[in-house]
């Protein structure tokens, strides 16, 4: 594929190697129409920095003196400036501390962490996983339990005894497999702060080797059968666990994103099936699993990749419960799973497919949720939809059914991307986390960026010309789209939409679409919105995974950051910055809302142990010094 060390690449860069871009096309001058169509106060031109919000919201935001005065109390902090250093910064009056780091013990029989030698294979599934990501907190029998993803590994750090981080033995592969997946851990706050409760009976690691049950329409289908599992109902491992979600009945939803990178072929002449192209599955994996673990060798197990790319439901209250892959929610690069209820009790799950030019989905259950009643079938029986956005600020959810796609329901579940293409869904700028407002009937999706917008089609050949919610060609900054379901019903088939914010750099690109929307300024500018979560008061917490070089188009943005946005006024302020090279991802709150837990992934700086030490992903606990509410 390339002589470049794949372990050094981001997953996005690795995907680009599978499908390099053609020559760039010319600029499609349609931004003005796309931005102005939603009544953005007709006298304001986008080039002068119009608010990327709906009319009512924009009007209140632009009435700045009164709106800002009214909303000042919503932001109980003084915004922080940018940073380019190797530590965490939070507002004055707040503190942060480490809750847990990669390699910390969950069980006392695990080996002590060493900065000089690899964690032994027998301890690798007894410690906190690598590259923390989405998380949720649960209260179980009065105890606070965090379920948190470990998305991927940093092999040069995790396997210091190997050349370029490439596994040399089956044990090396097992170590990497065990560092990924999900950690379930009890936490408690004492006089010296928050700590993991080592040896708690609720502690658990779920890895690339944990048994899973496959459920839903595709379970048992020939596409999911292997020699090791002729039933097509039992698989092992959950992969590249990115964002997360929580069901109303108290289970954890972990989302398999870049699963394609774990599979390869020991036979260089193996003819890849046609569906592999759409999902980015090639002859070479990122971590050489296929050389030591036959399960990941597609020349011997062609269906194995089709058993990954799902949302997995985990019961954090039962360490013995088998995780369940829910095929009814579709197969693609799942970012997160934002779960809510329609007025009639139907379960609605919003989901983004994090790849350039892919789609935004939702699942609506056939049955309804009643507290205390059985939840069997709620995530297995229902309809998968995909979003189509119109230029006039309206949209509809297109049902993916045998009638609309010409595919069987099993094929729709396994090849969801192809089904979405068949119905003409809107290609999006890498749909990342979806967040549902708890105090208003609206939802938001972070569209992190898309350098290919208007330049080349997606992997299925779908048109990616500039469109309504994706209004900039070669979009390196990203935006946040918001929609309002018809009749205040998340189960409805239609919606209205606008853009809550368009990231950009008003210092570098003043007077152009790349300056960003009206609510972006030199004091809060950012790029690549990624993680998002609402707190209980209806403030939107926005996390970035973007360019941190602080130069060129990104000059003045500094390290990645976490911001807080007010949906009503449009105001956005910077709350936190993280170490150089790190992404800020994953957020949840303590039961009393006095602590916010935040994930820090893949730092390039020697965080948190200091110079001369290995960089370690971590979760930090942030509190107010006066112990007041924080979310």
């Amino acid at each position: 594929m390339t002589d470049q060390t794949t372990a050094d690449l981001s997953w996005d860069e690795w995907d680009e190697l599978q499908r390099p871009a053609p020559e760039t096309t010319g600029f499609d001058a349609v931004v003005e129409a796309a931005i102005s169509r939603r009544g953005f106060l007709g006298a304001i031109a986008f080039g002068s920095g119009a608010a990327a919000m709906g009319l009512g919201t924009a009007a209140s935001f632009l009435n700045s003196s009164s709106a800002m005065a009214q909303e000042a109390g919503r932001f109980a902090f003084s915004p922080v400036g940018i940073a380019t250093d190797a530590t965490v910064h939070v507002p004055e009056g707040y503190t942060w501390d480490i809750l847990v780091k990669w390699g910390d013990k969950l069980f006392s029989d695990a080996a002590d962490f060493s900065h000089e030698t690899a964690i032994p294979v027998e301890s690798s599934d007894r410690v906190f996983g690598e590259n923390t990501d989405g998380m949720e907190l649960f209260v179980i029998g009065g105890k606070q339990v965090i379920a948190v993803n470990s998305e991927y590994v940093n092999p040069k750090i995790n396997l210091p005894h190997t050349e370029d981080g490439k596994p040399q033995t089956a044990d090396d592969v097992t170590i990497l497999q065990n560092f990924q997946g999900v950690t379930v851990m009890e936490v408690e706050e004492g006089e010296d702060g928050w700590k993991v409760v080592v040896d708690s009976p609720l502690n658990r690691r779920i890895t690339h080797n944990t048994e899973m049950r496959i459920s839903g329409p595709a379970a048992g289908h020939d596409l999911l059968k292997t020699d090791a599992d002729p039933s097509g109902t039992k698989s092992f491992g959950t992969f590249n666990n990115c964002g997360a979600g929580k069901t109303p009945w108290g289970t954890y939803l972990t989302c398999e994103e870049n699963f394609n990178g774990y599979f390869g072929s020991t036979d260089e002449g193996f003819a890849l099936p046609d569906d592999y192209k759409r999902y980015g599955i090639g002859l070479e994996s990122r971590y050489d699993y296929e050389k030591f673990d036959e399960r990941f060798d597609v020349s011997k197990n062609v269906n194995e990749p089709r058993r990954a790319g799902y949302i997995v439901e985990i019961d954090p209250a039962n360490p013995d419960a088998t995780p369940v892959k829910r095929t009814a929610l579709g197969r693609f690069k799942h970012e997160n799973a934002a779960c809510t209820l329609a007025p009639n009790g139907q379960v609605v799950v919003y989901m983004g497919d994090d790849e350039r030019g892919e789609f935004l989905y939702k699942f609506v259950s056939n049955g309804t949720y009643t507290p205390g009643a059985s939840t069997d079938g709620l995530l297995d029986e229902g309809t998968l939809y995909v979003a189509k956005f119109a230029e006039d600020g309206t949209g509809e959810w297109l049902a993916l059914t045998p009638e609309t796609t010409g595919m069987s329901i099993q094929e729709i579940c396994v090849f969801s991307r192809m089904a979405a293409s068949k119905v003409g869904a809107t290609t999006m700028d890498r749909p990342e986390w979806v967040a549902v407002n708890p105090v208003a009937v609206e939802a938001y999706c972070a569209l992190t960026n898309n350098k290919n917008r208007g330049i080349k089609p997606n992997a299925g050949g779908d048109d990616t010309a500039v469109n309504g919610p994706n209004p900039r060609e070669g979009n390196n900054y990203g935006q946040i789209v918001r929609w309002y379901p018809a009749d205040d019903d998340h189960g409805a088939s239609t919606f209205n939409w606008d853009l809550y914010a368009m990231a950009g750099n008003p210092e570098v690109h003043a007077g152009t679409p790349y300056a960003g929307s009206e609510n972006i300024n030199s004091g809060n500018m950012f790029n690549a919105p990624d993680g998002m979560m609402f707190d209980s008061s209806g403030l939107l917490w926005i996390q970035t995974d973007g360019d941190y070089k602080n130069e060129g188009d990104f000059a003045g943005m500094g390290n990645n950051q976490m911001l807080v946005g007010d949906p009503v006024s449009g105001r956005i302020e910077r709350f936190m910055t993280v170490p150089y090279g790190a992404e800020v991802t994953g957020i949840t709150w303590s039961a009393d809302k006095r602590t916010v837990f935040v994930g820090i992934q893949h730092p390039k700086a020697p965080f948190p142990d200091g110079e001369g030490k290995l960089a370690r992903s971590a979760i930090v606990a942030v509190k107010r010094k006066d112990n007041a509410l924080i979310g």
Side-chain angles (χ1 to χ4, degrees):
M1 179 171 61
T2 176
D3 291 334
Q4 190 169 6
T5 302
T6 58
D8 292 336
L9 302 176
S10 70
W11 282 92
D12 184 54
E13 293 167 333
W14 191 86
D15 271 341
E16 282 296 291
L17 289 179
Q18 318 306 306
R19 202 171 64 88
E23 293 183 7
T24 302
T25 61
F27 183 78
D28 299 321
V30 299
V31 173
E32 181 178 353
I35 298 299
S36 62
R37 80 207 173 288
R38 280 284 284 157
F40 281 16
L41 306 179
I44 303 175
F46 178 78
S48 63
M53 294 175 286
L55 176 60
T57 306
S60 66
F61 178 72
L62 293 176
N63 186 11
S64 58
S65 59
S66 60
M68 288 304 190
Q70 293 171 6
E71 296 301 326
R74 295 271 283 156
F75 291 80
F77 64 91
S78 298
V80 300
I82 68 165
T84 58
D85 58 8
T87 191
V88 172
H89 296 275
V90 294
E92 183 178 356
Y94 289 74
T95 65
W96 68 273
D97 198 2
I98 297 291
L99 169 66
V100 65
K101 303 173 281 191
W102 161 61
D104 283 353
K105 293 182 179 184
L106 299 176
F107 302 95
S108 56
D109 61 2
D112 292 334
F113 183 84
S114 168
H115 285 276
E116 286 73 40
T117 59
I119 293 173
V121 64
E122 60 269 15
S123 292
S124 55
D125 62 352
R126 310 286 286 173
V127 298
F128 183 69
E130 176 66 299
N131 281 331
T132 176
D133 209 307
M135 66 179 105
E136 295 281 358
L137 185 138
F138 301 83
V139 178
I140 300 170
K143 302 178 184 299
Q144 298 192 61
V145 176
I146 292 177
V148 54
N149 296 338
S150 287
E151 185 179 15
Y152 66 102
V153 286
N154 300 309
K156 289 184 178 180
I157 293 174
N158 308 140
L159 300 175
H161 57 285
T162 63
E163 182 179 354
D164 292 332
K166 291 290 188 180
Q168 302 300 308
T169 67
D171 277 355
D172 288 345
V173 168
T174 300
I175 289 171
L176 297 184
Q177 292 173 336
N178 285 346
F179 286 163
Q180 299 169 81
V182 175
T183 296
V184 181
M185 59 188 183
E186 183 185 344
V187 298
E188 64 179 4
E189 187 176 23
E191 292 184 359
D192 56 348
W194 285 93
K195 303 294 180 185
V196 173
V197 180
V198 176
D199 292 325
S200 166
L202 292 170
N203 290 356
R204 183 183 188 187
R205 285 297 320 282
I206 297 166
T207 74
H208 287 184
N209 295 300
T210 301
E211 182 177 328
M212 307 272 147
R213 179 169 67 88
I214 301 172
S215 76
H221 191 271
D222 286 347
L223 286 167
L224 301 186
K225 294 177 180 178
T226 65
D227 288 343
D229 173 31
S231 73
T233 61
K234 183 175 75 173
S235 67
F236 288 89
T238 179
F239 305 98
N240 206 255
N241 304 82
C242 188
K246 178 190 288 188
T247 65
W249 50 93
T251 57
Y252 182 66
L253 301 178
T254 184
C255 303
E256 298 184 320
E257 189 189 6
N258 295 296
F259 65 91
N260 57 308
Y262 296 96
F263 299 94
S265 173
T266 56
D267 178 3
E268 295 181 357
F270 177 69
L272 298 172
D274 291 342
D275 61 285
Y276 276 29
K277 178 181 178 181
R278 185 62 186 271
Y279 285 91
I281 301 161
L283 294 173
E284 181 182 344
S285 72
R286 283 196 66 155
Y287 304 134
D288 288 351
Y289 279 14
E290 70 276 14
K291 297 179 181 179
F292 301 94
D293 189 338
E294 192 172 278
R295 178 160 55 107
F296 297 89
D297 186 345
V298 297
S299 68
K300 298 176 180 177
N301 288 290
V302 69
N303 275 348
E304 197 64 43
R306 297 171 181 146
R307 293 148 60 90
Y310 300 100
I311 287 177
V312 181
E313 184 177 15
I314 296 168
D315 183 357
N318 182 1
D320 297 321
T322 301
V324 183
K325 294 199 172 190
R326 299 292 185 185
T327 64
L329 277 62
R331 174 174 169 262
F332 42 86
K333 293 185 178 181
H334 284 280
E335 183 68 18
N336 83 318
C339 197
T340 189
L341 294 176
N344 67 355
Q346 286 179 295
V347 179
V348 179
V349 186
Y350 289 113
M351 302 164 286
D353 182 357
D354 182 12
E355 190 167 323
R356 297 185 184 94
E358 291 297 340
F359 306 114
L360 176 65
Y361 298 81
K362 80 170 178 180
F363 170 84
V364 181
S365 67
N366 289 344
T368 58
Y369 170 68
T370 301
S374 172
T375 59
D376 290 347
L378 288 182
L379 296 182
D380 287 337
E381 300 165 4
T383 303
L384 186 64
Y385 296 84
V386 67
K388 186 175 181 65
F389 292 79
E391 296 294 322
D392 65 356
T394 64
E396 59 180 320
W397 292 101
L398 307 175
L400 301 180
T401 67
E403 293 74 24
T404 62
T405 64
M407 302 166 65
S408 70
I409 189 62
Q410 293 85 1
E411 290 170 332
I412 290 169
C413 293
V414 178
F415 303 133
S416 307
R417 284 182 168 180
M418 292 78 141
S421 292
K422 284 179 178 290
V423 300
T426 301
T427 60
M428 306 295 282
D429 287 348
R430 291 185 58 195
E432 301 254 17
W433 288 56
V434 177
V436 178
N437 193 333
V439 300
V441 185
E442 59 185 23
Y444 296 63
C445 181
L447 304 173
T448 196
N449 57 43
N450 185 359
K451 67 182 181 182
N452 293 338
R453 172 62 61 184
I455 295 172
K456 74 169 184 175
N458 68 10
D462 298 314
D463 179 31
T464 62
V466 168
N467 61 45
N470 308 277
R472 293 177 291 186
E473 186 179 72
N475 173 21
N476 288 325
Y477 292 117
Q479 63 270 5
I480 299 173
V481 65
R482 166 174 55 188
W483 61 96
Y484 312 89
D487 301 321
D488 288 341
D489 180 358
H490 283 290
S493 60
T494 60
F495 57 90
N496 293 318
W497 69 271
D498 59 23
L499 292 174
Y500 171 66
M502 293 183 64
N505 194 324
E507 299 297 307
V508 174
H509 294 294
T512 78
Y514 303 95
S517 48
E518 176 85 357
N519 51 347
I520 303 301
N521 54 63
S522 59
N524 71 0
M525 59 184 179
F526 60 94
N527 72 92
D530 188 336
M532 292 196 309
M533 186 77 76
F534 275 98
D535 66 22
S536 60
S537 72
L539 288 176
L540 181 63
W541 295 67
I542 304 164
Q543 302 175 317
T544 71
D545 177 23
D547 191 297
Y548 49 82
K549 300 297 184 2
N550 200 36
E551 60 188 22
D553 285 343
F554 308 98
M557 294 185 177
N559 294 346
N560 278 303
Q561 54 191 281
M562 184 166 71
L563 308 103
V564 180
D566 178 23
V568 178
S569 70
R571 180 182 174 190
I572 299 173
E573 301 289 2
R574 186 182 298 115
F575 179 85
M576 170 191 266
T577 61
V578 297
Y580 180 82
E583 166 189 357
V584 53
T585 180
I587 180 172
T588 193
W589 284 265
S590 60
D592 63 5
K593 310 299 183 189
R594 299 180 191 277
T595 303
V596 58
F597 299 102
V598 183
I600 297 174
Q601 187 188 96
H602 61 72
K604 293 187 181 300
F607 176 86
D609 296 335
E611 289 296 333
K613 304 296 185 181
L614 295 175
R616 301 168 70 183
S617 57
I619 297 175
V620 298
V622 181
K623 294 179 65 71
R624 286 178 56 156
K625 290 183 178 179
D626 62 5
N627 203 34
L629 298 176
I630 196 173

